[in-house]
Amino acid sequence: MSSILKGIAASNGIAIAKAYRLVEPDLSFDKKSVENAEEEVARFQAAISTSKSELEAIRDKAMVDLGEDKAQIFEAHLLVLSDPELLTPIEDKVKTENVNAEFALKETADMFVSMFESMDNEYMKERAADIRDVTKRVLSHLLGVQIANPSMVTEEVIVIAEDLTPSDTAQLNRQFVKGFTTDIGGRTSHSAIMARSMEIPAVVGTKSVTDSVENGDMIIVDGLNGEVHINPTPEVIEEYKREHARYEDQKAEWAKLVNEPTVSKDGQHVELAANIGTPKDLEGVKNNGGEGVGLYRTEFLYMGRDELPTEDEQYEAYKAVLEGMEDKPVVVRTLDIGGDKELPYLNLPKEMNPFLGYRAIRLCLDEQEIFRTQLRALLKASPYGNLKIMFPMISNLQEFREAKAILEEEKKKLQENGTNVADKIEVGIMVEIPSTAVMADVFAKEVDFFSIGTNDLIQYTMAADRMNERVSYLYQPYNPAILRLVKMVIDAAHNEGKWAGMCGEMAGDEIAVPILLGLGLDEFSMSATSILRARSQIHGLNQSDMKKLAEEVLQLDTNDEVIKAVEKAVSHS
Ligand code: PEP
Ligand code: MG
């Protein structure tokens, strides 16, 4: 039976392939007594041996694809599977209590896990995590349930998941993962942002895709319209193949603009920059004609690993980006951890409202060594290009002053030691908290630039969690409340002779671009894959007309009225 699910179009394009479920398996079981303990022990040993061969294959593949560090994780799992201190008590339990292997395994493993976890020792805590992982694998074999091994995928698939963390997303193999779709998340959740930078079509927030899809079902991810087709008819597949070809043709048209400047019909130049997460994304920036990097989300350097990156590692990454961009502007945002971006190794307590919690600049001003290390790495890399430094989640002037003072201190220390640091490094802030937008005139006297982070600015202004698909209708970039804040920020910057950019997803949005051009935004920073479409759109607009449009929409009542006004103005432009 074919069916269609509606979700949120998170990353453009169309993908057609078989489903691959990346979900937690059901490993529940009952305690049972067994007649023949010897047979039960043999069943357990068979599960151990299958788990071992599976882990060996995963380890060998990880070694080739992901490097020794990641392969080491599986090596540690293999050691657990050969440890008599764990295995003997399980077998003894089966024999003496005549219980099923599942029960003996879980009871014994849980006992070790809680013992190791209660120790004040990082090494033992990691062993607890290894035992937990390995137990799942052996249980899955005892129960005959499949667990997902994404690194072992060897054919084209569409990944089906409840949610994908940014580090899950970063590990997807672009060669085989043609698209993904999730139950939860919104257009600005970080998995969606990553999908755009990886150019993988995605539909998020379907609410129920994991309930509706089995492994191997044929899936179409329509990232243009936010639809997921499950087991579509051959006619629908053909129709989508044609749609895919049309989209590719359109992209080929846009690609002709790769080396063109971004100028409106009446000659207004704006800068179209890219948002990146890692130095690897630079290729996409170049292929899509990015005129700079408007947002380098450095937190991805800290994620998907077990400890903080060293100053040297950071320096290498920042230098690579600065050199790669050849003197074009590169705005590096300092660590913005928190919200949906966790660093488990910092062992921070769970919070009720992580998006309103201890995160980004709040954490950096408190854990200063983390912050200072990053700033030193940035300062040392600064002579290699056109670096601008930006602080995230600034909510009041005091935070900006403190952060800037720490930067100045580190700069002075480096210079005193004879380290070469660029003379002029602009220092700006993200405007993503309403208090800062409202006070933009005051900030503008002290910062060198603003970059408006609408993903958060909209979430905080509308009080609507950007991860929660049930309130995603409140992600209203054209709501006059948002547009008025955006105008305040741009005007405040210009009154002080500073520049204003935008690095939230709104900067590349087709409805928003005409308004932002009219409001005088200087720099638009977006997923690299949106740049050429935005350039083509701006080539067709008169800034003077868009100024009038901006004045008009600021006086409208609702998001929908603004959409209509823009569509009308653009069709006459
Ligand atoms: C934003 O909030 O708009 C932004 C660009 O930052 P992030 O999406 O990383 O929170
Ligand atoms: Mg943000």
Side-chain angles (χ1 to χ4, degrees):
M1 263 289 283
S2 58
S3 58
I4 303 176
L5 285 180
K6 267 285 192 197
I8 299 161
S11 178
N12 282 344
I14 286 163
I16 309 173
K18 294 232 169 95
Y20 182 84
R21 288 168 53 86
L22 196 55
V23 290
E24 282 289 313
D26 178 6
L27 296 177
S28 55
F29 61 87
D30 291 325
K31 178 181 178 186
K32 286 189 204 144
S33 55
V34 291
E35 302 261 304
N36 187 336
E38 287 305 324
E39 266 177 26
E40 191 64 2
V41 168
R43 194 169 74 87
F44 174 65
Q45 286 168 345
I48 294 282
S49 120
T50 323
S51 302
K52 271 189 185 164
S53 347
E54 198 174 67
L55 276 169
E56 278 161 5
I58 296 176
R59 176 203 55 197
D60 294 348
K61 183 132 195 332
M63 190 71 130
V64 176
D65 294 350
L66 306 167
E68 194 164 342
D69 265 12
K70 288 274 184 292
Q72 206 56 44
I73 300 174
F74 302 109
E75 191 61 49
H77 290 187
L78 277 163
L79 281 179
V80 173
L81 282 183
S82 310
D83 186 352
E85 295 213 29
L86 174 70
L87 303 187
T88 315
I90 299 171
E91 292 176 8
D92 287 350
K93 202 173 180 69
V94 173
K95 287 184 203 153
T96 55
E97 298 178 25
N98 277 76
V99 285
N100 50 338
E102 288 88 341
F103 179 77
L105 164 66
K106 188 76 178 35
E107 280 255 307
T108 314
D110 281 355
M111 193 260 299
F112 279 109
V113 166
S114 51
M115 187 167 90
F116 290 167
E117 271 185 342
S118 66
M119 293 180 185
D120 197 16
N121 174 326
E122 269 321 299
Y123 178 80
M124 295 318 281
K125 284 193 172 136
E126 276 172 30
R127 296 295 71 79
D130 289 342
I131 295 179
R132 201 182 279 119
D133 261 28
V134 166
T135 306
K136 272 195 200 165
R137 188 170 298 280
V138 181
L139 263 181
S140 77
H141 288 300
L142 285 170
L143 295 165
V145 177
Q146 260 202 336
I147 53 174
N149 293 318
S151 57
M152 298 301 279
V153 170
T154 51
E155 56 173 1
E156 295 192 348
V157 294
I158 305 275
V159 168
I160 311 287
E162 192 189 342
D163 185 22
L164 286 170
T165 63
S167 65
D168 287 336
T169 320
Q171 286 174 38
L172 296 181
N173 182 336
R174 242 185 259 206
Q175 189 189 349
F176 296 119
V177 176
K178 293 293 150 192
F180 73 75
T181 170
T182 61
D183 289 341
I184 69 171
R187 203 179 144 70
T188 60
S189 54
H190 285 93
S191 52
I193 290 171
M194 291 286 285
R196 284 196 283 283
S197 76
M198 293 167 76
E199 299 194 43
I200 298 180
V203 173
V204 300
T206 61
K207 300 193 179 77
S208 61
V209 73
T210 56
D211 289 337
S212 320
V213 173
E214 297 293 338
N215 267 333
D217 280 349
M218 185 49 100
I219 301 291
I220 299 174
V221 170
D222 175 353
L224 300 168
N225 298 302
E227 284 180 2
V228 178
H229 293 250
I230 305 165
N231 292 324
T233 60
E235 293 76 36
V236 172
I237 294 183
E238 280 315 306
E239 196 184 306
Y240 266 99
K241 283 190 177 158
R242 284 194 295 274
E243 179 70 23
H244 178 67
R246 268 197 296 276
Y247 183 64
E248 292 300 313
D249 288 349
Q250 172 74 81
K251 283 208 308 201
E253 268 310 297
W254 290 331
K256 294 179 185 154
L257 303 177
V258 70
N259 294 316
E260 298 289 312
T262 313
V263 227
S264 67
K265 252 187 191 169
D266 51 353
Q268 175 66 35
H269 178 265
V270 293
E271 185 184 308
L272 290 193
N275 296 347
I276 64 167
T278 79
K280 278 196 227 141
D281 296 338
L282 283 189
E283 198 186 323
V285 179
K286 295 217 170 115
N287 294 342
N288 288 286
E291 295 164 72
V293 167
L295 168 64
Y296 176 6
R297 289 184 165 94
T298 55
E299 49 279 4
F300 291 111
L301 198 62
Y302 293 68
M303 292 161 66
R305 48 187 296 149
D306 304 324
E307 57 191 5
L308 288 164
T310 63
E311 187 175 317
D312 272 357
E313 276 175 79
Q314 296 193 53
Y315 163 78
E316 292 300 336
Y318 305 148
K319 178 168 169 253
V321 172
L322 287 165
E323 283 185 332
M325 288 306 291
E326 298 164 353
D327 277 334
K328 293 193 183 112
V330 174
V331 181
V332 180
R333 175 172 77 184
T334 59
L335 181 62
D336 181 14
I337 215 65
D340 63 334
K341 293 174 288 192
E342 291 181 36
L343 290 187
Y345 57 82
L346 289 185
N347 288 321
L348 298 173
K350 280 257 171 276
E351 297 185 333
M352 292 282 278
N353 289 302
F355 276 104
L356 300 182
Y358 182 71
R359 55 173 299 199
I361 200 71
R362 303 165 184 189
L363 183 149
C364 284
L365 292 176
D366 188 38
E367 298 268 347
Q368 286 199 9
E369 239 348 274
I370 298 179
F371 191 40
R372 286 176 188 271
T373 305
Q374 180 171 39
L375 295 176
R376 280 194 301 273
L378 279 168
L379 290 164
K380 285 183 184 167
S382 64
Y384 294 93
N386 181 359
L387 170 70
K388 300 170 198 293
I389 296 178
M390 169 159 82
F391 302 127
M393 296 290 294
I394 295 286
S395 69
N396 64 80
L397 203 55
Q398 187 59 28
E399 282 170 340
F400 173 68
R401 287 181 180 155
E402 266 184 61
K404 180 144 187 218
I406 294 174
L407 175 67
E408 291 302 328
E409 259 175 54
E410 289 303 325
K411 184 172 174 184
K412 198 157 156 253
K413 278 195 255 173
L414 285 175
Q415 284 172 329
E416 281 167 2
N417 284 336
T419 307
N420 190 14
V421 176
D423 280 346
K424 174 84 193 110
I425 303 171
E426 288 189 10
V427 182
I429 58 168
M430 302 265 310
V431 182
E432 48 189 343
I433 298 183
S435 57
T436 299
V438 170
M439 295 291 281
D441 56 336
V442 178
F443 277 96
K445 296 187 195 325
E446 300 193 24
V447 303
D448 294 322
F449 66 90
F450 291 130
S451 185
I452 309 172
T454 46
N455 305 340
D456 279 317
L457 185 63
I458 297 170
Q459 114 163 313
Y460 295 135
T461 306
M462 305 294 291
D465 184 340
R466 65 194 266 189
M467 292 294 291
N468 184 340
E469 67 289 348
R470 299 173 85 176
V471 294
S472 62
Y473 69 97
L474 290 170
Y475 175 76
Q476 295 187 353
Y478 334 112
N479 187 309
I482 304 298
L483 299 177
R484 288 181 190 196
L485 288 176
V486 168
K487 177 178 165 55
M488 282 172 82
V489 177
I490 298 173
D491 289 352
H494 292 173
N495 283 340
E496 295 294 335
K498 312 286 169 68
W499 62 270
M502 179 179 284
C503 58
E505 290 304 307
M506 181 177 175
D509 179 294
E510 264 179 294
I511 298 289
V513 165
I515 305 175
L516 298 172
L517 183 68
L519 288 173
L521 189 74
D522 302 291
E523 178 236 35
F524 298 59
S525 192
M526 57 192 74
S527 306
T529 46
S530 301
I531 290 177
L532 292 169
R533 198 204 59 223
R535 182 168 296 154
S536 150
Q537 186 184 12
I538 291 171
H539 282 179
L541 299 172
N542 266 313
Q543 199 212 16
S544 55
D545 294 342
M546 295 308 116
K547 254 190 189 148
K548 286 186 211 125
L549 170 70
E551 277 162 27
E552 180 197 338
V553 296
L554 283 165
Q555 300 311 318
L556 294 176
D557 299 342
T558 65
N559 195 68
D560 288 352
E561 283 179 25
V562 174
I563 297 177
K564 287 202 188 88
V566 173
E567 283 171 349
K568 191 163 152 227
V570 169
S571 69
H572 290 134
S573 162

